[in-house]
Amino acid sequence: MNEIKDVSRDDRCPGITYTDMLNGDTRTPPDYLFEESTRDMGNDPLTVDAYISEDWAKLEREKMWPNVWQFAAREDEMPDPGDTVVYEINDKSFLLIRQKDGGVRAFYNACLHRGRKLRTECGPSVQLRCPFHGFTWRNDGSLKEIPSQWDFKHLEGKDMALPEARVELWQGFVMITENHDLPDFKTWLGPAAEHYEAYDFENRYTGMWIRKKFPVNWKATAEAFMEAWHSITTHPQLLPFLGDANSRYDLIGDHFNRAITPSGVLSPHMKGKDSNYVLEKMNEFSGGADADTNRRFAAGETTSDDYDPADPLGARKILAEAGRQGFTEQYGYDYSEASDSEILDNFTYNIFPNFAPWIGYLPTLVYRWFPGETVDESVMEIRLLFPTPKGEKRPRAVDPVDVPDGEPFAWAADVMGPALANVFDQDMANLPHVQTGMKAMRDGLMELGTYQDSRVRHFQQTMRKYFDGELPKTA
């Protein structure tokens, strides 16, 4: 294939780049992995007001949240007619209900009589009957019954259907917005929507689902996953097989950015090790108690005739082939033409504001972040979406597991696997001290890196566009 060159920047990590790795792939990666989108985000410091100010959070609630598309549910949570999901964010509550025709509708979760929430839990629904006085609506939102109707003659002829948010189904995700004038979701997102089409997301199911509350603002939590270079300090056990500083960061439009972090290669921070060392450490991480939730296959004793331990991509090629064979055996599909990158790498795709659905053939991580009751709180949700085995019916999503306050992710190690739980516990050990540390700063200004923190700048820039009225753009 024709070699693709990197976009020239003088703030890249010296040595092999991610584009070099794509050019060294044993299969042809898709074009969208080669496409780089870089821009000058400036070097101005960012104010900590975004994380510690209630006035800022109020602007988010008033100007941003009602005017964006939000990931509200997976379709595998509600596969059957009448299945209902309660989706709540900030002070808003919505009822998502699967209709008889297979569609999904989202109603504001409040009785039109006295405002009592119609439901507080997910589950099947025959009708929506208010537990307070018994006002009842059908699952399509139409009014069914008013008790003591003789006292409500003034409502005769009035539209008493439940108000609705707008819903679109995309790749098995149920997306909603309160703004009925926004472009459709794929247009709103832009070119990245097409990146998901090769991986059959609609047919995936939620096989792991963990939620945990943290004493830190939701944006600080989200931004902890917008760069990979914290690995050298926070996740040293990953450096033998993770190209942390080789990560590429792309900023596409207003509502999408990504980090691509290669796997199966030695971190640029490590020296004097060959591909045998990478294989050894990756195999240690990929096996054992994490086998059910780990996203990659150990290479075992697999090698090839042209394997060269001195080749910096040698382990990557072996691990990718182990993944192709393992995924074929596990799921029944033909992965023989899947590129090394799509089998191995970490595609941390972020959809503004709080939704990170990764791509690739392996079981896919999905993050979602929620504001807490105060600016000093947030909830993070971690899912793994597994391919449905060939010829089988897509399973229903597992129920979420809520980690109790004060407990680490290791509390759920039997669900997550101990190695994965440890990675997230390492991340979260920093964040409470980020929140308190930002309040302790003398000038309240953060100095960010030009390239490796560019996604954080992009995220903050888009939010300011909502505050300033530049966004949303309507259809």
Side-chain angles (χ1 to χ4, degrees):
M1 68 182 192
N2 294 327
E3 284 205 353
I4 309 294
K5 295 187 181 300
D6 283 299
V7 173
S8 178
R9 292 185 64 123
D10 61 6
D11 49 17
R12 294 288 183 89
C13 178
I16 189 171
T17 69
Y18 186 67
T19 302
D20 293 332
M21 295 180 198
L22 292 176
N23 285 323
D25 206 303
T26 63
R27 310 289 192 275
T28 302
D31 289 344
Y32 50 77
L33 295 187
F34 286 100
E35 293 169 356
E36 296 197 47
S37 178
T38 185
R39 67 181 82 163
D40 181 9
M41 298 297 296
N43 287 305
D44 292 340
L46 297 184
T47 175
V48 298
D49 288 347
Y51 312 90
I52 65 175
S53 166
E54 174 54 37
D55 289 339
W56 189 287
K58 183 179 179 182
L59 285 172
E60 293 174 11
R61 293 191 295 269
E62 292 177 354
K63 293 184 176 292
M64 189 269 289
W65 288 110
N67 292 306
V68 296
W69 283 102
Q70 300 180 43
F71 161 40
R74 280 286 299 174
E75 289 196 67
D76 52 290
E77 295 175 58
M78 46 188 312
D80 300 323
D83 282 347
T84 302
V85 170
V86 178
Y87 172 66
E88 297 188 314
I89 188 164
N90 297 309
D91 294 330
K92 299 293 179 70
S93 182
F94 302 91
L95 287 177
L96 283 62
I97 304 180
R98 178 74 73 174
Q99 303 295 301
K100 292 180 180 179
D101 64 2
V104 176
R105 300 176 78 167
F107 305 107
Y108 286 81
N109 185 17
C111 177
L112 299 185
H113 172 221
R114 295 271 289 277
R116 204 268 194 202
K117 284 183 179 178
L118 293 169
R119 292 194 59 153
T120 57
E121 295 181 351
C122 305
S125 172
V126 176
Q127 60 184 11
L128 302 172
R129 186 173 188 272
C130 179
F132 196 176
H133 295 89
F135 272 61
T136 305
W137 285 264
R138 301 177 183 88
N139 282 347
D140 64 3
S142 61
L143 180 66
K144 179 180 180 181
E145 178 187 1
I146 297 178
S148 301
Q149 188 154 0
W150 49 266
D151 199 26
F152 292 89
K153 293 181 180 179
H154 55 287
L155 298 181
E156 293 178 5
K158 185 174 182 178
D159 182 7
M160 288 292 290
L162 292 174
E164 297 185 54
R166 184 176 163 196
V167 176
E168 288 191 13
L169 304 180
W170 172 74
Q171 296 293 340
F173 296 100
V174 182
M175 308 300 299
I176 73 168
T177 181
E178 294 187 75
N179 188 332
H180 290 259
D181 296 323
L182 288 186
D184 65 89
F185 175 73
K186 290 178 66 175
T187 300
W188 183 85
L189 177 57
E194 298 179 1
H195 298 190
Y196 292 82
E197 293 176 359
Y199 308 110
D200 196 21
F201 271 79
E202 190 169 349
N203 200 36
R204 294 192 178 207
Y205 68 96
T206 304
M208 185 200 80
W209 187 358
I210 305 291
R211 298 186 301 209
K212 181 166 170 52
K213 184 188 297 184
F214 298 98
V216 61
N217 186 268
W218 73 274
K219 295 182 294 300
T221 308
E223 289 167 359
F225 297 89
M226 289 187 189
E227 44 79 13
W229 70 287
H230 66 274
S231 297
I232 186 173
T233 304
T234 303
H235 308 301
Q237 80 276 19
L238 304 182
L239 300 186
F241 51 84
L242 188 75
D244 54 336
N246 297 121
S247 295
R248 200 180 72 210
Y249 301 96
D250 294 310
L251 318 174
I252 303 176
D254 287 315
H255 299 117
F256 174 80
N257 60 46
R258 69 179 177 184
I260 305 178
T261 303
S263 188
V265 293
L266 197 67
S267 166
H269 299 297
M270 299 193 72
K271 307 296 181 183
K273 302 293 185 181
D274 62 12
S275 284
N276 284 337
Y277 178 78
V278 177
L279 284 174
E280 175 190 349
K281 294 302 181 180
M282 175 66 102
N283 288 346
E284 289 176 5
F285 187 84
S286 299
D290 279 79
D292 290 340
T293 55
N294 199 280
R295 302 169 60 245
R296 299 171 188 85
F297 282 86
E301 301 300 320
T302 303
T303 58
S304 64
D305 293 339
D306 59 353
Y307 171 66
D308 178 5
D311 178 1
L313 301 182
R316 182 175 171 83
K317 296 170 184 176
I318 297 298
L319 288 162
E321 185 57 32
R324 290 185 196 96
Q325 295 176 14
F327 289 136
T328 297
E329 181 178 343
Q330 187 164 0
Y331 301 119
Y333 300 102
D334 180 7
Y335 294 94
S336 60
E337 294 305 310
S339 64
D340 302 349
S341 54
E342 294 169 285
I343 291 290
L344 287 176
D345 292 340
N346 302 282
F347 301 100
T348 314
Y349 276 41
N350 274 53
I351 297 174
F352 187 85
N354 66 327
F355 177 30
W358 296 23
I359 66 164
Y361 286 112
L362 58 171
T364 309
L365 281 163
V366 177
Y367 303 149
R368 186 166 54 169
W369 301 278
F370 295 97
E373 294 181 5
T374 72
V375 295
D376 296 322
E377 295 178 347
S378 62
V379 174
M380 182 174 180
E381 175 185 281
I382 305 165
R383 300 185 190 220
L384 267 177
L385 301 185
F386 291 87
T388 299
K390 188 175 183 179
E392 297 183 15
K393 181 181 178 181
R394 182 185 64 189
R396 182 182 283 270
V398 298
D399 292 331
V401 174
D402 289 294
V403 178
D405 292 350
E407 294 289 347
F409 279 111
W411 180 88
D414 59 328
V415 177
M416 303 178 70
L420 187 61
N422 181 51
V423 170
F424 285 106
D425 278 330
Q426 288 173 324
D427 284 313
M428 296 311 174
N430 292 316
L431 293 180
H433 305 295
V434 168
Q435 191 71 12
T436 55
M438 287 188 293
K439 293 181 179 181
M441 297 181 80
R442 188 192 69 176
D443 299 323
L445 297 174
M446 302 185 299
E447 300 287 357
L448 274 63
T450 302
Y451 183 65
Q452 295 186 109
D453 290 323
S454 58
R455 296 175 76 207
V456 176
R457 292 184 184 278
H458 177 255
F459 171 65
Q460 292 285 344
Q461 181 187 78
T462 296
M463 185 165 292
R464 284 187 175 274
K465 287 183 178 182
Y466 279 92
F467 294 175
D468 295 340
E470 186 176 343
L471 291 173
K473 295 176 181 176
T474 55

